[in-house]
Amino acid sequence: MDTARNVLLEEWMREHGHSSNTMAEAVNRAVEQLTGRPGGCDGSSVRAWKSGRIQWPKALTRRVLEEVTGVPITALGFAPRSRAQPAPAVPEQEDPDLKRRTLVSGGIAAAVAAAAAAPGSAPRRIGMADVDRLQYRFTEIIASDHRRGGQVDIEKRAASLADEALNLQNSGNASQRVRANLYAAAAAFRSSAMWAAIDGRRYDEAKAHMREAQALAEMSGDQAIKFRIWSHAGTMYRHMGRTADALAANDVARNLHIARRDPMFASLGLARQAAIHGAAQDRTGTRRAFDQAGDAMDRADPAAHRPTWLVAFYDPAELNSLALSAYLALGDYPAAELHAHRCLSTLRPHMVRSRAITTTRLAHAQLAQGDIDTATKVAMTVPTAAATQHARVSRMLGEFGAALRAKAPRSPFVDTWTEHTAAWRTTA
């Protein structure tokens, strides 16, 4: 039987600079960290994954691949043979982005069109396979967010997929379980559109997505997606400077049953509460909430099943990132710098957007302590794409430049920074 190449794995490896051999080395290191025994993967194993000869690796290998990449196994192009396989390789002359758009607008929408195209025919049966296809698209949205967060195209694509999920509701018959899952998928996509708008500082759009996401989540009954939406709302209001509203929204998330049942959800709710306390200048509340968030994370079962969106980003690095934000807002710059270094040392490779944000905040903490040389050099390591295209990073770097000029107006580092930002404008 012919096999299709695993183009998603190949794309991830190409983007992160991995050959088959270096990918095998990374997998073996992760196996040894997990089991205490060296892994037995080599370049030929990776080539077998890429060629499609091995479509569903063993359980340990799947777990390790998720650890190494920070991406769910299905988002790397793997699937059991009994499940629908990823699309075949894109011909060399075909634009991969166009291919993805075609899959989004064609794959799911074609099912809707087919159901409506034959008046008088029996309605098609909507099943969990349709939900699985939507979930596969959701992992792509999550991956795009971590690479290029805040972009309008991610927001629009997520909103479009939410509409696709709702269209499926009307395209045929489905069980109550399937319908609940379709509403949950639509809510998940809409919450990703909401987050992209928040990350891009488009708050009016974010609030509109939030209202739709909340309604869909209620119809789904899915506690995890309700948590995500209300937790995002808390972050949105924190960025807007509305700390009372931020605490109220975050409390809705923290009081959901899932946060009482799973310490990892409780930890995220507490960590974001601490960041809000920092923005509100509540030092005691900040310290207490972060201590509680760390304790909850330590209690969480690492093997428990959790949704893709949570697994993809919440870990000790994110906890330290939120601490960095809080202590920077409080003006405790040594503590902020400490948490920045802790975050950067454990940040997973796919967290490109988070690395740019953390690096920028680190430069602010160093500048505030008078370490102008180091701060300038650190700020200059932020990639041009993030510096010019991500709204939050662009704003923070603009504030860094203003603070640098105010702190050391005649310093040669001001000239260095000015030249550097001019180069951004010519290469962006």
Side-chain angles (χ1 to χ4, degrees):
M1 182 179 66
D2 292 337
T3 57
R5 291 194 67 81
N6 188 335
V7 293
L8 293 180
L9 176 63
E10 289 182 317
E11 181 179 328
W12 188 92
M13 289 175 58
R14 184 166 52 252
E15 183 175 330
H16 292 83
H18 274 297
S19 66
S20 294
N21 289 335
T22 61
M23 186 71 177
E25 292 169 2
V27 168
N28 288 336
R29 285 195 298 270
V31 169
E32 187 168 11
Q33 290 175 356
L34 188 64
T35 67
R37 300 186 302 275
C41 181
D42 58 20
S44 64
S45 305
V46 179
R47 287 189 287 274
W49 302 336
K50 293 195 296 182
S51 70
R53 293 197 304 274
I54 295 178
Q55 300 175 358
W56 193 241
K58 294 179 181 179
L60 175 61
T61 304
R62 297 198 304 271
R63 180 176 176 184
V64 166
L65 279 167
E66 290 184 333
E67 285 288 327
V68 169
T69 64
V71 177
I73 195 70
T74 53
L76 291 171
F78 294 105
R81 289 182 182 275
S82 59
R83 290 179 54 184
Q85 298 299 312
V90 182
E92 287 186 6
Q93 70 272 20
E94 188 171 356
D95 181 353
D97 290 333
L98 177 60
K99 177 74 172 183
R100 293 191 194 93
R101 290 195 295 273
T102 303
L103 285 169
V104 171
S105 61
I108 300 172
V112 179
S121 62
R124 69 173 290 237
R125 184 71 179 174
I126 310 301
M128 287 305 295
D130 298 288
V131 175
D132 288 344
R133 281 192 289 273
L134 286 167
Q135 290 296 341
Y136 183 74
R137 295 297 166 222
F138 185 54
T139 62
E140 292 181 335
I141 292 289
I142 296 294
S144 295
D145 173 67
H146 290 308
R147 287 195 303 270
R148 307 183 297 108
Q151 302 304 309
V152 173
D153 68 301
I154 298 175
E155 177 190 347
K156 290 183 176 179
R157 187 151 53 104
S160 175
L161 284 165
D163 292 340
E164 296 283 6
L166 291 177
N167 286 340
L168 273 175
Q169 293 278 11
N170 300 316
S171 69
N173 297 324
S175 68
Q176 184 176 355
R177 171 173 172 258
V178 169
R179 293 204 181 280
N181 275 276
L182 287 173
Y183 280 125
F189 284 125
R190 189 61 69 172
S191 69
S192 283
M194 172 189 175
W195 179 250
I198 292 169
D199 212 19
R201 298 178 62 80
R202 300 181 296 276
Y203 298 126
D204 287 343
E205 290 87 343
K207 285 183 279 188
H209 291 307
M210 177 183 69
R211 287 188 287 270
E212 292 197 41
Q214 288 167 338
L216 292 166
E218 287 300 322
M219 288 189 281
S220 76
D222 188 307
Q223 287 264 311
I225 201 59
K226 287 183 185 179
F227 180 99
R228 187 185 197 219
I229 293 161
W230 282 104
S231 187
H232 280 350
T235 301
M236 176 182 71
Y237 289 127
R238 171 166 64 88
H239 288 325
M240 295 172 69
R242 294 165 54 177
T243 53
D245 291 334
L247 283 171
N250 196 59
D251 280 345
V252 175
R254 292 180 57 236
N255 288 327
L256 289 168
H257 175 68
I258 196 168
R260 296 193 295 273
R261 188 184 75 225
D262 187 339
M264 192 62 82
F265 280 88
S267 177
L268 176 56
L270 285 161
R272 285 181 166 164
Q273 183 186 43
I276 298 166
H277 283 318
Q281 300 299 300
D282 181 352
R283 293 176 181 273
T284 301
T286 297
R287 287 193 296 270
R288 183 190 303 118
F290 272 126
D291 287 344
Q292 293 171 340
D295 290 343
M297 182 176 283
D298 290 341
R299 294 196 310 272
D301 178 2
H305 175 74
R306 297 185 177 93
T308 298
W309 61 264
L310 182 66
V311 173
F313 91 101
Y314 191 57
D315 57 10
E318 178 65 16
L319 181 60
N320 279 294
S321 174
L322 289 165
L324 162 61
S325 174
Y327 286 112
L328 203 57
L330 286 169
D332 188 343
Y333 301 117
E337 181 175 7
L338 173 64
H339 286 289
H341 287 300
R342 287 177 176 174
C343 174
L344 291 170
S345 69
T346 55
L347 203 59
R348 286 177 277 177
H350 72 283
M351 303 291 282
V352 177
R353 181 268 321 274
S354 295
R355 185 172 296 279
I357 291 173
T358 301
T359 302
T360 305
R361 286 175 172 161
L362 171 60
H364 272 277
Q366 292 167 329
L367 180 62
Q369 295 176 81
D371 192 352
I372 299 171
D373 183 0
T374 302
T376 305
K377 290 176 180 176
V378 166
M380 289 171 64
T381 67
V382 176
T384 300
T388 58
Q389 298 172 23
H390 192 285
R392 284 167 62 195
V393 177
S394 296
R395 177 181 59 84
M396 288 191 293
L397 287 171
E399 292 170 350
F400 174 85
L404 176 63
R405 287 186 288 273
K407 198 171 193 70
R410 287 177 291 279
S411 165
F413 298 110
V414 172
D415 295 334
T416 301
W417 180 251
T418 301
E419 292 173 6
H420 185 68
T421 54
W424 277 343
R425 288 191 289 274
T426 60
T427 59

